[in-house]
Amino acid sequence: MYYLLSGFVYLLSWLPMPVLYVLADCCYIVVYGLLGYRKKMVRNNLVKAFPTLSTQERQKIEKEFYRNFFDTWFELIKCATISVKRARQMMTADFTLLEALHAQGKTCQFMCGHMFNWELYNVIIPTGQPYPFLPVYMPLASKPVDKLMYKIRSRFGVHLINATQVKQEMAGWLQRQYMIALGADQRPSNPENGWWLWFLNQPTCVVQGPGRNAVRNNMTVVFAWPQKTGRGRYHLHLEVMAANAAQYTPQQITQLYIKRLQQAIEEQPGNYLWTHNRWKHAWQPSLESLWIDALPIPHA
């Protein structure tokens, strides 16, 4: 199965991007327009996140999201054979900040969200700045798909860290400068193992690990978000969110991250992953001890 899947993806990846975007448009028409893939989930999420927008305004975001969603998958397929030069035409970035932090001897925690197209990070970041780039990833249930994704994502020297084995896989890096990368907008499987705060107008459960890791290791926390400037064109913004994380509490790091991520999403709402059941966990008064926001706890 892996070899059939791999062969198909690699054959597709040799097609020019304009052809791949035609295929993305076809997927948009069939999967979104005709089949309505996760349309109810997307609409519910958008109503929760943007309650003051009109139905027409949310529909515009919805359609933009689905177009970006399918573009992202075909851009990922292209990453199977893309050159660094071509990838840098698709996503630009100024790595002066990372070069300066590396020269200062800093170890960094790169915090991002599921904004399109985060897959291009795996090409431009390891080839454009001095840090070893260590994204933490969750293995996929399908072993053939997981093996193929691992191969594509690690083409240019990315050191992927299995989220289920972080302690073991990080052991060899702790005495070196590195940059660990976290898509920190994940929700924990158990709402009692997270922290709760306001995010996009909703009481939201977020993972504790990124904040704890940054403070424990006194890392420099870098927030990253991609601005979409055109079809197949992005600019990666990088900014220091906390120069010395040990000066903060883990809860404060989490608050800073969520606030900054929300700002980025509000700037380009169609560029965020809305098919995810982000608010699966409902707020309960019994979770009051886990509330970390400065804003009031929601009423039951």
Side-chain angles (χ1 to χ4, degrees):
M1 178 61 73
Y2 166 74
Y3 293 105
L4 287 174
L5 177 64
S6 178
F8 177 70
V9 167
Y10 276 83
L11 283 175
L12 276 181
S13 74
W14 285 110
L15 294 174
M17 277 310 307
V19 176
L20 292 177
Y21 284 135
V22 170
L23 296 177
D25 289 339
C26 292
C27 287
Y28 172 82
I29 294 169
V30 175
V31 182
Y32 165 62
L34 298 180
L35 302 179
Y37 170 72
R38 296 185 76 84
K39 190 181 290 187
K40 184 178 179 180
M41 176 66 67
V42 171
R43 289 181 177 175
N44 286 341
N45 283 340
L46 290 176
V47 168
K48 290 177 179 178
F50 305 108
T52 62
L53 295 184
S54 67
T55 300
Q56 291 75 19
E57 288 171 319
R58 287 195 294 267
Q59 285 178 342
K60 182 179 179 181
I61 295 172
E62 176 186 308
K63 291 179 179 180
E64 183 181 358
F65 157 71
Y66 274 102
R67 289 192 178 279
N68 291 337
F69 178 77
F70 293 115
D71 280 2
T72 289
W73 285 107
F74 282 92
E75 289 164 2
L76 171 60
I77 288 172
K78 190 65 179 177
C79 285
T81 57
I82 200 171
S83 67
V84 173
K85 180 179 179 181
R86 179 70 182 91
R88 288 178 178 169
Q89 291 171 348
M90 294 180 70
M91 178 175 280
T92 59
D94 181 356
F95 291 121
T96 304
L97 172 64
L98 298 183
E99 292 168 355
L101 292 173
H102 189 270
Q104 296 168 25
K106 299 286 188 178
T107 297
C108 291
Q109 181 164 294
F110 180 100
M111 293 181 71
C112 57
H114 286 84
M115 300 188 71
F116 306 127
N117 184 348
W118 67 84
E119 294 291 350
L120 289 170
Y121 297 170
N122 297 317
V123 183
I124 69 161
I125 293 178
T127 60
Q129 51 77 46
Y131 283 102
F133 188 55
L134 283 60
V136 176
Y137 79 102
M138 182 61 70
L140 301 174
S142 169
K143 290 185 178 181
V145 176
D146 184 63
K147 183 177 179 181
L148 178 59
M149 291 287 284
Y150 189 100
K151 184 176 181 181
I152 293 173
R153 288 170 169 168
S154 59
R155 276 187 70 209
F156 293 96
V158 164
H159 304 276
L160 293 166
I161 303 296
N162 189 322
T164 65
Q165 301 174 11
V166 172
K167 186 175 181 180
Q168 301 93 308
E169 296 195 9
M170 286 299 301
W173 293 98
L174 298 181
Q175 303 305 315
R176 302 169 55 182
Q177 277 183 273
Y178 62 88
M179 180 165 62
I180 189 169
L182 302 170
D185 53 347
Q186 308 276 8
R187 59 170 168 75
S189 57
N190 185 341
E192 295 182 359
N193 292 335
W195 283 317
W196 286 79
L197 73 175
W198 289 104
F199 175 54
L200 292 170
N201 296 300
Q202 298 299 307
T204 303
C205 187
V206 299
V207 290
Q208 297 182 3
R212 292 188 184 281
N213 183 69
V215 171
R216 181 173 58 247
N217 296 301
N218 192 26
M219 307 186 84
T220 295
V221 181
V222 176
F223 178 73
W225 69 279
Q227 177 187 16
K228 189 160 189 174
T229 58
R231 193 170 199 183
R233 294 289 185 272
Y234 308 86
H235 181 72
L236 178 61
H237 295 264
L238 301 169
E239 56 194 71
V240 172
M241 200 165 61
N244 297 290
Q247 296 176 356
Y248 300 79
T249 66
Q251 293 89 336
Q252 287 172 332
I253 294 293
T254 304
Q255 287 176 295
L256 288 171
Y257 164 72
I258 289 297
K259 180 179 179 180
R260 190 62 191 89
L261 177 62
Q262 178 168 319
Q263 291 171 344
I265 293 169
E266 290 172 343
E267 288 188 33
Q268 290 194 321
N271 213 36
Y272 188 63
L273 185 64
W274 295 107
T275 48
H276 177 55
N277 190 5
R278 187 63 191 83
W279 294 292
K280 179 179 180 180
H281 300 317
W283 167 256
Q284 301 293 334
S286 60
L287 301 168
E288 182 174 344
S289 63
L290 300 172
W291 185 260
I292 65 170
D293 207 311
L295 295 175
I297 294 175
H299 296 292

